[in-house]
Amino acid sequence: MFRLDGKVALVSGAGRGMGFGVAQMLARQGATVIVNDFFADRAEAGAEALRSEDLKAFGATADMTDREAVFVMVKHLLADHGSIDVFVHNAGIPAQGWGYTPFLESPPSEWDAWLQLNLHGLMHACQAILPSMIERGWGRIIAVNSDAARTATGMGLCAYGAAKAAAIGFIRNLSGEVGRHGVTANALSLGTMNNWEGSAQIARKTASVKRAGSPQDVGAAIVYLASPEAEWVNGQVLPVNGGSIVC
Ligand SMILES: NC(=O)c1ccc[n+]([C@@H]2O[C@H](COP(=O)([O-])OP(=O)(O)OC[C@H]3O[C@@H](n4cnc5c(N)ncnc54)[C@H](O)[C@@H]3O)[C@@H](O)[C@H]2O)c1
């Protein structure tokens, strides 16, 4: 079950963090994985790490907020690999860095950065990739999202949460347009993950499973949504959060 042999998966922002775990789990299920990142060295190192496990992986550098760069990358990938069967939009934290900014101090340029990556990046990639998925009658679009879209963290995440909520609205509506073509569009809502300092302490307080989430937790859920067996799951947001929010 959940095998992905013969499928090609593109994962954005996969040079490190959750995205790398997603790429690794997809490749372990047999997919050929394209490790995208803003930074060429991260994309190449990620792909190399997978190849060292005897998995099929290639690096692809592109800024997901740059529409032209995304279209060029997709064109090359389709020419080289024949298809992109699974697209995971994982890149969601701007490469230029970010901080917690209370709303009243946050400049519109910061709101734009979150929206450009989490919403427009996803939409650019979907417009580039979907025609080929629809033509083949099979595809999986999966957006990595966050519980910040549906909670009041009080941690200066207004613009981030708003951008993530917008991406969920997009995924839900998209699912209604692509399902009839054999393509599904879903999202994951992540809780506190283990790649930042202090996360273990927060997760112990908020999650009923007393640890922060790992890249492999994310990858396992994505393998399911990407698999042929998840054909009837469409337009959904799957929480992967250790039980910290249960509705
Ligand atoms: N870490 C958490 O606690 C947490 C919680 C909830 C949701 N999430 C979501 O999980 C996803 C991954 O987060 P992470 O913590 O692994 O991030 P990360 O910062 O560790 O890694 C993200 C990668 O994306 C790349 N990237 C950034 N901007 C890019 C762009 N424009 N084009 C291509 N690549 C780009 C970065 O270079 C980096 O390698 C994000 O969507 C984030 O919102 C994370």
Side-chain angles (χ1 to χ4, degrees):
M1 287 241 291
F2 312 140
R3 290 297 304 173
L4 293 166
D5 305 279
K7 303 289 189 210
V8 178
L10 168 63
V11 184
S12 70
R16 71 172 194 192
M18 302 306 126
F20 179 74
V22 170
Q24 188 176 43
M25 299 290 269
L26 290 169
R28 286 181 182 172
Q29 289 308 107
T32 296
V33 174
I34 314 301
V35 177
N36 157 267
D37 207 282
F38 181 92
F39 297 108
D41 55 343
R42 286 189 196 169
E44 290 311 324
E48 183 51 39
L50 297 182
R51 286 194 295 268
S52 72
E53 272 189 58
D54 264 348
L55 301 171
K56 295 182 280 283
F58 300 86
T61 309
D63 175 355
M64 296 303 294
T65 67
D66 179 342
R67 182 176 174 85
E68 202 188 326
V70 170
F71 272 74
V72 167
M73 173 179 68
V74 167
K75 191 173 160 204
H76 284 138
L77 293 176
L78 289 174
D80 291 351
H81 301 283
S83 64
I84 298 171
D85 306 288
V86 177
F87 171 59
V88 181
H89 189 48
N90 163 80
I93 303 199
Q96 299 79 0
W98 68 293
Y100 299 108
T101 315
F103 176 65
L104 287 180
E105 293 160 29
S106 68
S109 59
E110 201 178 291
W111 313 344
D112 282 345
W114 289 115
L115 274 170
Q116 287 300 326
L117 183 54
N118 284 284
L119 180 64
H120 292 192
L122 173 61
M123 293 169 85
H124 295 323
C126 285
Q127 282 197 333
I129 296 167
L130 274 169
S132 64
M133 286 183 172
I134 289 170
E135 195 183 309
R136 294 165 60 87
W138 202 96
R140 300 284 186 265
I141 304 287
I142 305 162
V144 177
N145 212 279
S146 169
D147 280 353
R150 60 188 180 132
T151 46
T153 63
M155 289 165 64
L157 295 179
C158 282
Y160 174 65
K164 289 294 197 190
I168 288 178
F170 168 68
I171 284 287
R172 285 182 170 142
N173 278 278
L174 182 70
S175 71
E177 295 191 18
V178 297
R180 77 200 67 166
H181 300 291
V183 179
T184 63
N186 292 291
L188 295 189
S189 186
L190 303 188
T192 302
M193 309 311 291
N194 69 3
N195 62 339
W196 51 277
E197 218 180 307
S199 61
Q201 212 173 3
I202 291 184
R204 269 196 299 277
K205 277 196 204 134
T206 56
S208 56
V209 178
K210 298 285 171 204
R211 64 170 175 83
S214 69
Q216 289 71 32
D217 292 321
V218 185
I222 288 202
V223 160
Y224 168 63
L225 290 174
S227 71
E229 286 81 1
E231 162 177 287
W232 210 49
V233 180
N234 195 20
Q236 305 304 315
V237 182
L238 174 64
V240 179
N241 61 13
S244 50
I245 304 177
V246 293
C247 60

